[in-house]
Amino acid sequence: MSATSAAIAGTVGALLTGTARLSPRGGGRLALELWRRPGGPARVRPEERTVHDAAEPGAIGRVVTYTWGDGRRPVLLVHGWGARASRWAEVVQALLATGHSAVAYDAWGHGATPGPVRPIPEHQRVIAELERRHGPFAGVIAHSFGAPVAIHAARLGLRADRLVTISGVGEFGYLVDTFCARIGAGPAVNAALRRAIADRYFGGADDIWERFSARPLPGWESLVLHDAADRVVDRRQADVLTEALGARLVETSGLGHGRILRDPDVIDRVVGFLDRVPA
């Protein structure tokens, strides 16, 4: 973070902290408006353009969807916060080369899908419709915030038996904690934002921080990949996922949060895991 960005974040954090102390509800609403906006929609990168343009586009309501391949052995791809489906370009190429198809979507406020962002249960409804149209899936690959999205869908009946998380978030509350840490906001803002999220999206339910965190998936086999120096999602989140899912962990070095999706060795491991014959 640059000195200017740090100063702006510090000012925002101080403003939210003061507001939350005077009015927890008002501070929570203000923090929520910042938290739920991932920034401007991510653009398709030049190196992703060929794969992106080769997709068969579709829609579920206003959600833009993409499919690649002939429909055999489809794999569902769930992108992370601030990203879009085109970030899977290298993975899609590897899947197609091994006889798979690929299915993905741009979440609300990401890529070609208008915002604002929507909560995890609405992602599950999109995934259920993708499964109806293109499933059953041969596997699911999720990046970053896509991990809790995919795990929730699996818990509610998504039919696949292999899950790969890459740079994944294991604890739902981690999203709030990292937001507050980034802007220098303390416990008052954290508590107010958690309450605002629960009230806005989940009818005030208090169990959402456990409900949408990683939990066991009976009948599923899982692989967790994470870079040791990931600066976006802390490496310890991989331990949360590994323990909850009973997964095998592969730790990389020097790839960070995004480049790990383009690393040939990582992609080989992911595709090999999906193709491996059960023992």
Side-chain angles (χ1 to χ4, degrees):
M1 181 183 293
S2 68
T4 301
S5 297
I8 293 173
T11 300
V12 171
L15 174 63
L16 289 176
T17 297
T19 303
R21 286 174 178 166
L22 292 172
S23 170
R25 186 177 295 275
R29 286 199 298 263
L30 180 58
L32 177 60
E33 289 307 307
L34 296 174
W35 178 81
R36 73 191 189 103
R37 299 181 188 280
R43 297 182 178 181
V44 178
R45 294 170 177 161
E47 62 270 23
E48 301 165 350
R49 177 58 64 182
T50 299
V51 173
H52 174 79
D53 290 349
E56 180 69 30
I60 299 173
R62 302 180 74 188
V63 174
V64 178
T65 66
Y66 307 89
T67 58
W68 295 265
D70 59 11
R72 291 182 295 175
R73 304 174 72 202
V75 175
L76 175 66
L77 308 173
V78 187
H79 71 70
W81 190 266
R84 62 179 300 150
S86 65
R87 297 294 182 264
W88 293 110
E90 285 88 345
V91 174
V92 169
Q93 290 176 313
L95 290 171
L96 296 180
T98 52
H100 293 87
S101 300
V103 178
Y105 67 99
D106 287 340
W108 299 269
H110 294 71
T113 300
V117 299
R118 303 283 183 89
I120 288 178
E122 295 199 40
H123 284 257
Q124 187 273 328
R125 287 189 277 274
V126 168
I127 290 173
E129 178 60 19
L130 287 173
E131 182 184 29
R132 188 190 69 80
R133 296 181 185 183
H134 306 290
F137 293 115
V140 181
I141 310 174
H143 180 239
S144 193
F145 175 66
V149 169
I151 291 169
H152 181 68
R155 290 188 57 247
L156 293 188
L158 176 64
R159 293 174 296 163
D161 57 10
R162 294 193 182 181
L163 169 67
V164 179
T165 70
I166 304 174
S167 310
V169 173
E171 298 169 300
F172 186 43
Y174 178 79
L175 300 168
V176 174
D177 296 342
T178 54
F179 169 81
C180 290
R182 188 169 68 250
I183 63 172
V189 175
N190 192 305
L193 177 54
R194 286 173 178 253
R195 173 48 53 197
I197 292 169
D199 290 345
R200 171 75 68 88
Y201 298 119
F202 304 104
D206 292 325
D207 67 339
I208 60 172
W209 311 105
E210 294 76 31
R211 192 194 320 168
F212 299 114
S213 294
R215 297 165 70 179
L217 294 177
W220 286 67
E221 189 175 358
S222 301
L223 175 67
V224 172
L225 297 102
H226 212 109
D227 194 76
D230 191 325
R231 295 183 179 181
V232 177
V233 176
D234 191 277
R235 160 65 179 77
R236 287 172 290 187
Q237 289 296 299
D239 295 329
V240 173
L241 287 164
T242 301
E243 181 177 358
L245 300 173
R248 181 163 61 91
L249 172 64
V250 174
E251 183 178 287
T252 63
S253 178
L255 297 177
H257 188 71
R259 193 153 55 90
I260 192 171
L261 290 179
R262 306 187 296 275
D263 182 74
D265 290 338
V266 167
I267 294 172
D268 285 348
R269 284 181 178 272
V270 170
V271 175
F273 172 75
L274 296 178
D275 273 345
R276 184 172 57 80
V277 177

